[in-house]
Amino acid sequence: MPRVEVTIGPQKHAFDMEKGESLLFEAISRSVMIPFNCTSARCGICRVKVLEGAENLNEVGDREILRLGEEKVEQGFRLACQTHVFGDVKLEVPQPRLY
Ligand code: FES
């Protein structure tokens, strides 16, 4: 059973989930509040950065590349609503910049 560790600002969360399930929906069901809006790769709000275990996720899809851009994808960013987990992974939810 994959183990997911998520850092959101100062908070650290960890949970186990069924292999192949949606990262976003599993997180929300455990009250790990990854921000989201559309759940369909349109808003980009559910952006997460993969710190470890990228090989344990589904491949980055065309819709993610369109929304995030190739540079962010190469830096390890994913859309949680498009990400399915098949093994252990560590993630960070980027905090919005304050200008
Ligand atoms: S929730 Fe909108 S892109 Fe994932």
Side-chain angles (χ1 to χ4, degrees):
M1 191 173 262
R3 180 91 172 153
V4 178
E5 295 180 32
V6 185
T7 301
I8 305 175
Q11 300 177 340
K12 294 188 185 300
H13 306 271
F15 57 89
D16 298 322
M17 61 181 280
E18 293 294 327
K19 193 180 275 190
E21 294 296 328
S22 161
L23 170 63
L24 179 63
F25 293 132
E26 289 289 325
I28 292 168
S29 74
R30 289 163 173 80
S31 300
V32 177
M33 297 312 292
I34 296 174
F36 72 99
N37 188 357
C38 70
T39 72
S40 56
R42 286 179 295 182
C43 72
I45 291 174
C46 66
R47 193 171 58 140
V48 297
K49 184 168 187 180
V50 181
L51 304 177
E52 292 180 25
E55 69 278 12
N56 295 327
L57 304 174
N58 63 315
E59 287 191 27
V60 179
D62 291 344
R63 294 163 72 182
E64 283 183 277
I65 295 170
L66 274 174
R67 177 55 54 204
L68 292 168
E70 289 186 11
E71 186 179 337
K72 288 292 183 195
V73 170
E74 286 171 11
Q75 291 171 2
F77 285 92
R78 297 292 306 261
L79 296 176
C81 70
Q82 303 299 304
T83 300
H84 294 264
V85 179
F86 295 90
D88 295 352
V89 65
K90 288 186 183 177
L91 309 159
E92 178 181 75
V93 175
Q95 297 300 290
R97 289 187 187 151
L98 300 175
Y99 292 98

